Amino acid sequence: MAKVMDQQPASLDVARIRQDFPILARTVGDKPLVYLDSAATSQKPRQVIGAITEFYERHNANVHRGVYTIAEEATALYEGAREKLARFVGASDPACIVFNRGTTESTNLVAHAWGRKFLREGDQIVLSMAEHHSNLIPWQFAARATGAEVRFIPVAEDGTLDLSELSSIVTERTRIVAVTGMSNVLGTLPPLAVLSEAAHSVGAVFLVDGAQLVPHARVDVEATGIDFLTISGHKMLGPTASGGLYGRRDLLEQMDPFLGGGEMIREVWLDHATFNGVPGKFEAGTMNIAEEVGLAAAIDYLEGLGMDAVREHEKQLTAYAIGRLVEAGATVYGPRDPEVRGGAVSFWYKEVHPHDLATILDQEGVAIRAGHHCAQPLMRILGVPATARASFYVYNTAEEVDALVDALGKAEDIFG
Ligand code: PMP
């Protein structure tokens, strides 16, 4: 494989994009920062940083409470962010978006507010074996509380989900199928329409962990039949603690509140209370207002690039990275075909432990993740305690992939 891709992906003007990300201009030691850990959290463009600053400098007030001008401005910005996020994931009703800190909080919300109410002893919760702990532990809690059973769709040798036994895993007893939209370890993109159909055919609901999917590909909850979608704003150019949950309106309405407190109520007596409608009954206390306003700016930014172009760029970069890593002697986990995977590329390089590798790479300015990636059951299936993971986003270039591969050579000199 040629050292640098013959052509940069034509779809995005990456050189221009990089100008928008102040952190990409910094050095680590005397080396330029090569940031290849966007699956953990993405970097933020000036437009997002500016939106947060402007909110605090001009509009800061609590929302849904004050009648004065800046409180109304803050409310309009916060509710405008809800409309924007709804549109971004294909939801026609903004009330279907519940704001919170992101995927972990959203999965816990569903496992608690839906799970505790609707799961019974002997019911089945179907997950895949490739789930992040945040789409596993909340279901273990729900199963323990209700007597439901957790079952798993296996992972095939090539890192895709093995759907050959799906009809015996998803049964008349299944109440929910909850799977990752894109694996943070293998990059795998499960066939969501097929899984949605399987869930709905037995009357179960379908939850997608969108932490990795929503930042990297066009998502349409209504067209795909997704009943719950979890969204982490910090992985899609937005601030930490932004994002939330998309939920089908009738499901959200049937669910009881998750957290109690101010703002989520309608009327309160000493011994009982009635609650707000959706989404308000799930937004207790003072919310992450500035963060969701920042997320709205991130969505504007991504829409300006076009999600098809974002996906195309990542497909090209992922194919290039996998080719170069394999050529350099690395074992790459997960499917090879960029059509069925995203840009989180896990690998093991020769005899070098991932933690040692990440430390050496840091000395070269290259930031990758090493560890179990909050997916210990999947690590056991892969037969490794950890992997190294490089992950890509709109600002990454083929030259950065080359910098990664060059730095691997240095690690081999030291540890090989
Ligand atoms: N699911 C997947 C697939 C993830 O990659 C992550 C983040 N690493 C999460 C869930 C959890 O997201 P958050 O930390 O934003 O709640």
Side-chain angles (χ1 to χ4, degrees), residues 39-40 101-105 132 134-135 180 182-184 209 211-212 232 234-235 369 373-374 389:
R101 290 185 302 124
T103 291
T104 301
E105 192 168 328
H132 187 281
S134 79
N135 193 32
T180 183
M182 182 192 291
S183 164
N184 61 314
D209 170 348
Q212 298 294 341
S232 289
H234 71 98
K235 295 186 200 278
R369 174 88 184 266
H373 314 293
C374 302
R389 182 188 69 189

Coordinates of all heavy atoms in Angstrom, one line a residue, residues 39-40 101-105 132 134-135 180 182-184 209 211-212 232 234-235 369 373-374 389, ligand 1:
A39 N -13.0 8.1 19.4 CA -14.0 7.2 20.0 C -14.2 7.4 21.5 O -15.2 7.1 22.0 CB -13.7 5.7 19.6
A40 N -13.1 7.8 22.1 CA -13.2 8.1 23.6 C -13.9 9.5 23.8 O -14.9 9.6 24.5 CB -11.8 8.2 24.2
R101 N -26.8 13.6 30.4 CA -25.3 13.6 30.2 C -24.9 12.6 29.0 O -23.7 12.6 28.8 CB -24.6 13.2 31.5 CG -24.7 14.3 32.5 CD -23.8 13.9 33.8 NE -24.3 12.6 34.3 CZ -23.5 11.6 34.5 NH1 -22.2 11.6 34.2 NH2 -23.9 10.5 35.0
G102 N -25.8 11.9 28.4 CA -25.3 11.1 27.3 C -25.7 9.7 27.4 O -26.7 9.3 28.1
T103 N -25.0 8.8 26.8 CA -25.4 7.4 26.6 C -25.5 6.7 27.9 O -26.5 6.0 28.1 CB -24.3 6.7 25.7 OG1 -24.5 7.2 24.4 CG2 -24.5 5.2 25.6
T104 N -24.5 6.8 28.8 CA -24.6 6.0 30.0 C -25.9 6.4 30.8 O -26.6 5.5 31.3 CB -23.3 6.3 30.9 OG1 -22.2 5.9 30.1 CG2 -23.4 5.5 32.2
E105 N -26.1 7.7 30.9 CA -27.3 8.1 31.7 C -28.6 7.7 31.0 O -29.5 7.2 31.6 CB -27.3 9.6 31.9 CG -28.3 10.1 32.9 CD -28.1 11.5 33.3 OE1 -27.0 12.0 33.4 OE2 -29.1 12.2 33.6
H132 N -20.6 -2.3 25.0 CA -19.9 -1.5 26.0 C -20.6 -1.7 27.3 O -21.8 -2.0 27.4 CB -20.1 0.0 25.6 CG -19.3 1.0 26.4 ND1 -19.7 1.4 27.6 CD2 -18.2 1.7 26.1 CE1 -18.9 2.3 28.0 NE2 -17.9 2.5 27.1
S134 N -21.7 0.1 29.4 CA -22.9 0.9 29.7 C -24.2 0.4 29.1 O -25.2 0.9 29.4 CB -22.6 2.4 29.2 OG -22.8 2.5 27.9
N135 N -24.0 -0.5 28.1 CA -25.3 -1.2 27.6 C -25.3 -2.7 28.1 O -25.9 -3.5 27.5 CB -25.3 -1.2 26.1 CG -26.7 -1.6 25.6 OD1 -27.7 -1.3 26.2 ND2 -26.7 -2.2 24.4
T180 N -25.4 -2.3 20.3 CA -24.6 -1.1 19.9 C -24.9 -0.8 18.4 O -25.1 -1.7 17.6 CB -23.1 -1.5 20.1 OG1 -22.4 -0.3 19.7 CG2 -22.7 -2.6 19.2
M182 N -22.7 0.9 16.7 CA -21.3 0.8 16.2 C -20.4 0.4 17.3 O -20.4 1.1 18.3 CB -20.8 2.1 15.5 CG -19.4 1.9 14.9 SD -18.7 3.5 14.4 CE -19.7 4.0 13.1
S183 N -19.7 -0.8 17.2 CA -18.9 -1.2 18.3 C -17.7 -0.3 18.5 O -17.0 0.1 17.5 CB -18.3 -2.6 18.0 OG -17.3 -2.9 18.8
N184 N -17.4 0.1 19.7 CA -16.3 1.0 20.0 C -15.0 0.2 20.0 O -13.9 0.8 20.1 CB -16.5 1.7 21.4 CG -16.5 0.7 22.5 OD1 -17.2 -0.3 22.4 ND2 -15.8 0.9 23.6
D209 N -27.6 1.6 21.1 CA -26.6 2.4 21.8 C -25.9 3.2 20.6 O -25.1 2.7 19.8 CB -25.6 1.5 22.4 CG -24.3 2.2 22.9 OD1 -24.1 3.4 22.5 OD2 -23.5 1.6 23.7
A211 N -23.8 5.8 20.9 CA -22.6 6.6 21.3 C -21.6 6.7 20.2 O -21.1 7.8 19.9 CB -21.9 5.9 22.5
Q212 N -21.4 5.6 19.4 CA -20.4 5.7 18.3 C -21.1 5.9 17.0 O -20.4 6.4 16.1 CB -19.6 4.4 18.3 CG -18.7 4.1 19.5 CD -17.6 5.1 19.7 OE1 -17.2 5.8 18.8 NE2 -17.1 5.1 20.9
S232 N -24.4 10.5 22.8 CA -23.3 11.1 23.6 C -22.8 12.3 22.8 O -22.0 12.2 21.8 CB -22.2 10.2 23.9 OG -22.6 9.2 24.8
H234 N -20.5 14.5 23.5 CA -19.1 14.7 23.5 C -18.3 14.0 22.5 O -17.2 14.3 22.2 CB -18.5 14.4 24.9 CG -18.5 13.0 25.3 ND1 -17.3 12.3 25.1 CD2 -19.4 12.1 25.7 CE1 -17.5 11.0 25.5 NE2 -18.8 10.9 25.9
K235 N -18.9 12.9 21.9 CA -18.2 12.2 20.8 C -18.6 12.7 19.4 O -18.1 12.2 18.4 CB -18.6 10.7 20.9 CG -18.2 10.0 22.2 CD -18.5 8.5 22.1 CE -18.5 7.9 23.5 NZ -17.2 7.5 24.0
R369 N -5.8 5.0 22.3 CA -6.3 4.4 23.5 C -5.8 3.0 23.6 O -5.7 2.2 22.6 CB -7.9 4.4 23.5 CG -8.6 3.7 24.6 CD -8.9 4.6 25.7 NE -9.5 3.9 26.8 CZ -10.8 3.8 27.0 NH1 -11.6 4.4 26.2 NH2 -11.3 3.1 28.0
H373 N -11.4 -1.0 26.8 CA -12.4 -0.2 26.2 C -13.8 -0.4 26.8 O -14.8 -0.3 26.0 CB -12.4 -0.4 24.7 CG -11.1 -0.4 24.1 ND1 -10.3 0.7 24.0 CD2 -10.4 -1.5 23.5 CE1 -9.1 0.4 23.5 NE2 -9.1 -0.9 23.2
C374 N -13.9 -0.7 28.1 CA -15.2 -0.9 28.7 C -16.0 -2.0 28.0 O -17.2 -1.9 27.9 CB -16.0 0.4 28.8 SG -15.2 1.7 29.6
R389 N -6.2 1.0 20.3 CA -7.2 1.4 19.4 C -6.9 2.8 18.9 O -6.7 3.7 19.6 CB -8.6 1.4 20.1 CG -9.7 1.8 19.2 CD -11.0 2.0 20.0 NE -10.9 3.2 20.8 CZ -11.8 3.6 21.8 NH1 -12.9 2.8 22.0 NH2 -11.7 4.7 22.5
Ligands
PMP1 N1 -21.4 2.9 24.2 C1 -20.3 2.9 23.4 C2 -20.3 2.0 22.2 C3 -19.3 3.8 23.7 O1 -18.2 3.8 22.9 C4 -19.3 4.6 24.9 C5 -18.2 5.6 25.2 N2 -17.0 5.0 25.2 C6 -20.5 4.5 25.7 C7 -21.5 3.6 25.3 C8 -20.6 5.4 26.9 O2 -20.8 6.7 26.5 P1 -20.7 7.9 27.6 O3 -19.4 7.7 28.3 O4 -20.7 9.1 26.7 O5 -21.9 7.8 28.4

